[in-house]
């Protein structure tokens, strides 16, 4: 784990316009400080040596030890009080002589967020897509603490791949670990900002409480969804029947997510990892395009003939006057009924299911609600 962090740090250093080499006056000059200083000098990198925790004159005097690193005069700051940070920013501006264009998210990028419990292979799948060890993979739990955003281009489409922290099973474990709790908050934030969620599961193991926790979060957010059955390589004697068996199992365990595709993937073999991006693109596009009014009217006539509306409350039989697509992302449909009638919840779910089937909206978020109207729409 430490070695992987060390490697990633060196990679980041080499790609940087400016390295701010931060050291701690309280711990003093450490062997690791000398090693990184030598790396900076050997590669002739643009750098600033910054000594933190210089809260008083005694601390500032101790910072003289860092002259031994050979990186010039150290800039003394106290991040706790903010002392010296303004001077540091002035030096940053001087050091970065060429004005760089602010790096922003690629235009029209599809943001897909990989979520799942610990050790299901989120980081491994992202690395398999990128064909490089971009994010750290470890058998230790909770390797990923912060959500990591990785821009990526595939088939002339920009993507942002978001790797998130895993969530533990027990809420009390999260509450006791402040860092863990912050990771959960970041994961929820990433989900809210995503276009398509990729729920990673370990197909070689039964679905757990942790998997169900994520399923509940997804249910609330109304985002595009792909369920990835990772570690498909561990399943022996695979065929169409075995795949269908696992799809049925997932649908039985998470019936409220049965509208999503289940994609068998092997990160270790890079098997079908790019199908994730292909499917995400299809879901994203369908989520942005509304359905025309006339097409929906024909659909409504067919559905009512198939299954007439059922009563929710009261004795008056409901009649559906109209259905229209009122919003996209998520696709939202408004059903108009009489003001003195009501529609049963099961019928609303039935309508949602039929809309998905009719317009091939697998994996696309769909919202259906009822509007009571005194005016009959024709």
């Amino acid at each position: 784990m430490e070695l992987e962090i060390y490697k990633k740090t060196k990679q980041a250093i080499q790609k940087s316009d400016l390295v701010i080499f931060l050291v701690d006056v309280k711990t003093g000059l450490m062997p690791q400080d000398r090693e990184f200083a030598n790396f900076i000098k050997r590669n002739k990198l643009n750098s600033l040596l910054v000594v933190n925790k210089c809260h008083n004159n005694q601390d500032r005097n101790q910072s003289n030890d860092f002259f031994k690193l050979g990186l010039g005069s150290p800039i003394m700051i106290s991040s706790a009080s903010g002392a010296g940070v303004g001077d540091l920013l002035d030096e940053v501006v001087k050091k970065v002589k060429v004005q760089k264009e602010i790096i922003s998210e690629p235009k029209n990028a599809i943001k897909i967020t990989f979520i799942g419990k610990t050790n299901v292979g989120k980081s491994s799948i992202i690395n398999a897509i990128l064909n490089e060890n971009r994010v750290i993979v470890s058998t230790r739990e909770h390797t990923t603490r912060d959500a990591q955003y990785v821009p990526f281009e595939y088939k002339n489409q920009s993507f942002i791949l978001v790797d998130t922290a895993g969530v533990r099973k027990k809420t009390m474990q999260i509450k006791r670990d402040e860092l863990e709790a912050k990771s959960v908050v970041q994961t929820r934030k990433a989900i809210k900002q995503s276009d398509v969620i990729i729920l990673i599961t370990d197909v070689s193991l039964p679905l757990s409480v942790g998997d169900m926790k994520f399923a509940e979060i997804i249910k609330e957010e109304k985002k595009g969804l792909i369920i990835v059955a990772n570690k498909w390589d561990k399943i022996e004697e695979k065929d169409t029947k075995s795949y269908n068996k696992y799809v049925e199992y997932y649908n039985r365990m998470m019936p409220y997510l049965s509208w999503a595709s289940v994609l068998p993937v092997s990160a270790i073999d890079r098997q079908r990892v790019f199908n994730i991006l292909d499917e995400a693109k299809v879901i994203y596009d369908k989520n942005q395009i509304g359905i025309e009014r006339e097409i929906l009217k024909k659909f409504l006539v067919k559905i009512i003939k198939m299954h007439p509306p059922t009563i929710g409350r009261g004795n008056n039989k409901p009649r559906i006057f109209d259905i229209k697509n009122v919003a996209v992302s998520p696709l939202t449909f408004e059903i108009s009924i009489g003001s003195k009638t009501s529609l049963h919840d099961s019928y609303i779910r039935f309508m949602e299911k039929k809309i998905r089937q009719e317009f091939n909206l697998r994996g696309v978020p769909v919202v259906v609600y009822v509007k009571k109207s005194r005016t009959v729409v024709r």
Side-chain angles (χ1 to χ4, degrees):
M1 178 72 170
E2 294 295 330
L3 182 61
E4 285 298 313
I5 293 171
Y6 183 76
K7 287 178 181 177
K8 296 295 179 293
T9 303
K10 280 195 170 182
Q11 289 174 10
I13 287 172
Q14 288 174 316
K15 293 177 181 178
S16 298
D17 297 310
L18 174 66
V19 176
I20 296 179
F21 184 27
L22 194 68
V23 293
D24 186 341
V25 75
K26 300 296 185 185
T27 57
L29 190 56
M30 303 292 287
Q32 299 97 314
D33 296 331
R34 293 183 186 275
E35 190 173 346
F36 273 115
N38 289 335
F39 180 82
I40 289 169
K41 288 185 287 187
R42 189 166 60 248
N43 289 276
K44 299 178 180 178
L45 300 173
N46 193 18
S47 67
L48 286 171
L49 175 61
V50 181
V51 185
N52 192 24
K53 302 184 184 177
C54 294
H55 306 312
N56 51 48
N57 289 332
Q58 184 181 350
D59 295 334
R60 294 184 187 94
N61 291 333
Q62 288 179 352
S63 69
N64 291 331
D65 285 347
F66 293 100
F67 275 100
K68 296 174 185 177
L69 294 174
L71 294 176
S73 299
I75 300 168
M76 293 170 284
I77 70 164
S78 168
S79 60
S81 67
V85 176
D87 293 335
L88 170 59
L89 291 175
D90 289 338
E91 292 301 318
V92 169
V93 172
K94 290 177 187 176
K95 279 279 187 178
V96 185
K97 295 176 182 177
V98 180
Q99 291 295 319
K100 297 280 184 179
E101 183 180 348
I102 295 173
I103 299 172
S104 57
E105 292 182 359
K107 200 171 183 180
N108 301 321
I110 300 173
K111 186 177 287 184
I112 61 177
T113 299
F114 295 76
I115 69 171
K117 66 179 186 179
T118 55
N119 287 339
V120 292
K122 299 186 301 297
S123 300
S124 297
I125 287 174
I126 292 176
N127 284 339
I129 291 171
L130 300 173
N131 197 23
E132 62 173 302
N133 293 326
R134 184 70 174 270
V135 291
I136 296 172
V137 177
S138 171
T139 54
R140 286 171 55 183
E141 288 193 349
H142 314 299
T143 302
T144 304
R145 288 292 190 176
D146 299 321
Q148 300 183 54
Y149 295 76
V150 184
F152 183 68
E153 192 85 15
Y154 173 70
K155 292 184 178 179
N156 298 318
Q157 171 64 55
S158 294
F159 289 87
I160 295 174
L161 314 182
V162 185
D163 186 20
T164 61
V167 173
R168 298 188 187 190
K169 294 181 183 179
K170 296 179 181 179
T171 305
M172 286 307 297
Q173 285 181 310
I174 296 170
K175 288 180 178 178
R176 284 197 295 265
D177 187 337
E178 184 181 354
L179 190 58
E180 176 84 3
K182 287 181 178 178
S183 297
V184 173
V185 171
Q186 284 200 353
T187 297
R188 285 183 175 272
K189 183 179 178 182
I191 290 170
K192 286 182 181 294
Q193 294 175 345
S194 66
D195 297 306
V196 181
I197 298 169
I198 315 298
L199 174 61
I200 311 293
T201 64
D202 183 344
V203 73
S204 68
L205 297 172
L207 291 173
S208 68
V209 174
D211 296 312
M212 299 306 172
K213 184 184 290 290
F214 278 113
E216 285 292 336
I217 294 171
I218 292 166
K219 181 185 174 184
E220 297 167 7
E221 293 302 330
K222 306 297 181 184
K223 300 287 184 179
L225 174 64
I226 302 168
I227 299 174
V228 168
N230 190 28
K231 306 186 184 181
W232 191 246
D233 52 287
K234 291 187 176 182
I235 306 301
E236 297 178 357
E237 299 179 4
K238 297 181 285 290
D239 56 21
T240 306
K241 288 184 179 179
S242 60
Y243 168 72
N244 290 336
K245 180 185 75 172
Y246 279 100
V247 170
E248 288 172 7
Y249 169 68
Y250 276 60
N251 289 342
R252 186 170 69 253
M253 295 296 290
M254 301 181 290
Y256 40 82
L257 299 184
S258 60
W259 51 273
S261 299
V262 177
L263 189 61
V265 165
S266 170
I268 197 167
D269 296 333
R270 300 187 71 206
Q271 185 182 26
R272 285 186 287 273
V273 292
F274 288 102
N275 290 13
I276 296 172
L277 301 182
D278 292 327
E279 184 85 2
K281 176 71 165 64
V282 171
I283 291 170
Y284 176 82
D285 288 344
K286 287 185 177 181
N287 198 27
Q288 308 300 315
I289 302 171
I291 299 171
E292 294 178 8
R293 187 83 174 270
E294 291 304 314
I295 294 174
L296 280 173
K297 282 185 176 181
K298 291 178 183 178
F299 161 77
L300 181 61
V301 170
K302 183 171 72 172
I303 291 302
I304 291 174
K305 283 183 180 179
M306 180 191 303
H307 185 356
T310 52
I311 300 171
R313 293 177 182 176
N315 299 317
N316 295 330
K317 188 175 181 180
R319 180 184 170 191
I320 299 175
F321 299 119
D322 191 28
I323 181 172
K324 54 186 176 182
N325 186 186
V326 294
V328 296
S329 192
L331 286 176
T332 305
F333 298 87
E334 180 185 273
I335 298 174
S336 295
I337 65 172
S339 59
K340 296 182 179 180
T341 62
S342 69
L343 206 55
H344 200 278
D345 289 343
S346 62
Y347 195 82
I348 298 171
R349 291 193 296 272
F350 165 76
M351 288 288 286
E352 179 183 326
K353 181 179 178 181
K354 290 302 177 183
I355 287 169
R356 289 186 191 281
Q357 291 176 351
E358 180 76 13
F359 303 108
N360 193 19
L361 298 177
R362 177 159 289 276
V364 179
V366 171
V367 177
V368 178
Y369 71 90
V370 174
K371 180 184 177 182
K372 293 188 177 184
S373 177
R374 293 179 182 276
T375 307
V376 177
V377 181
R378 298 189 183 278

